[in-house]
Amino acid sequence: MKTTIRSTLKNHLLLLAESSWSMIGYFIDEQRHKIPVQGRWQVEDLGDSLSIEIRLYKEDKTLILERLCVVLPESQLFNNWSEQRTPYGDFEGHIHAVEDTLLLQLESTQKIRSVEAFLKVFETEYELRGTMLEGDRQLGSWVLELLRLN
C-alpha cells in the first residue's frame, strides 16, 4: 500500500515538476471576514524533492499568505512535507494521495494545525479547501480553485 501511495504521490498532477497553477477564491480570517484572493502555485523539481511556492493576494495586490514548501514524494518518512508559512512560521506533516484527492495535515512549532484537501474537478482544475486551527480557535479557512497554466 505504501508503494502505491508514494507512486501516486510522485505522479500526482498537482505535484508534477515544473508545473504552474493559478489560484482564485476566498480566505476567511479569524474575524469571519470573507476576503477574495488570487494567487499562484508553482512547482520546481529539486532532484530528490519538490519545491512548491504558494502566494495568495487580496484584490488590491496585498500579500495575505506566502508558503514555501518542500515535498519528499518518495520519502518513507512519516513527515514528507515541510514549509515556512508567512506569517505563521514553520510547519511539518504529511501528504497522502487517495485516488485523485490529496490530503495534507501539518502542524507548526507553535502548535498551529493545518488541514487541507485538494479535490480534482477536471484534469486541469482542482479545488482546495483548508483550515488552520490553534487549539479550538480557527485562525482561517480557504476555498480556492486551481487552474493549470502549463
Side-chain angles (χ1 to χ4, degrees):
M1 183 70 158
K2 285 186 180 183
T3 304
T4 303
I5 289 173
R6 286 198 319 265
S7 175
T8 303
L9 199 59
K10 183 179 177 186
N11 298 314
H12 197 281
L13 189 60
L14 278 172
L15 301 178
L16 288 179
E18 311 305 327
S19 64
S20 187
W21 300 73
S22 70
M23 299 173 13
I24 190 164
Y26 59 88
F27 182 87
I28 300 173
D29 67 14
E30 219 175 319
Q31 292 77 35
R32 302 284 190 246
H33 297 117
K34 188 175 180 180
I35 304 166
V37 294
Q38 58 188 359
R40 192 166 183 110
W41 168 287
Q42 183 74 41
V43 182
E44 181 184 353
D45 189 353
L46 300 177
D48 62 345
S49 64
L50 298 173
S51 171
I52 300 175
E53 185 176 301
I54 303 165
R55 288 199 172 107
L56 284 179
Y57 299 91
K58 294 181 184 179
E59 288 180 328
D60 66 1
K61 306 295 184 205
T62 303
L63 183 67
I64 192 168
L65 183 69
E66 179 179 44
R67 297 169 63 174
L68 304 173
C69 316
V70 175
V71 183
L72 303 169
E74 293 192 56
S75 175
Q76 295 182 19
L77 301 173
F78 179 72
N79 291 329
N80 61 358
W81 183 291
S82 64
E83 71 178 60
Q84 199 291 316
R85 188 181 296 193
T86 304
Y88 300 100
D90 295 326
F91 285 76
E92 192 171 89
H94 55 276
I95 188 164
H96 292 287
V98 180
E99 294 184 8
D100 290 329
T101 301
L102 290 177
L103 302 172
L104 179 61
Q105 296 178 314
L106 304 172
E107 188 169 334
S108 76
T109 52
Q110 296 83 16
K111 301 299 181 201
I112 297 172
R113 293 176 291 130
S114 179
V115 179
E116 300 177 58
F118 299 83
L119 310 164
K120 183 176 181 180
V121 179
F122 298 109
E123 190 64 30
T124 58
E125 182 180 345
Y126 274 79
E127 182 178 282
L128 167 58
R129 293 177 177 259
T131 189
M132 268 190 312
L133 303 162
E134 186 173 35
D136 292 338
R137 184 175 63 130
Q138 188 171 19
L139 298 177
S141 60
W142 49 93
V143 175
L144 300 168
E145 180 181 280
L146 283 81
L147 297 172
R148 187 163 184 178
L149 298 173
N150 63 351

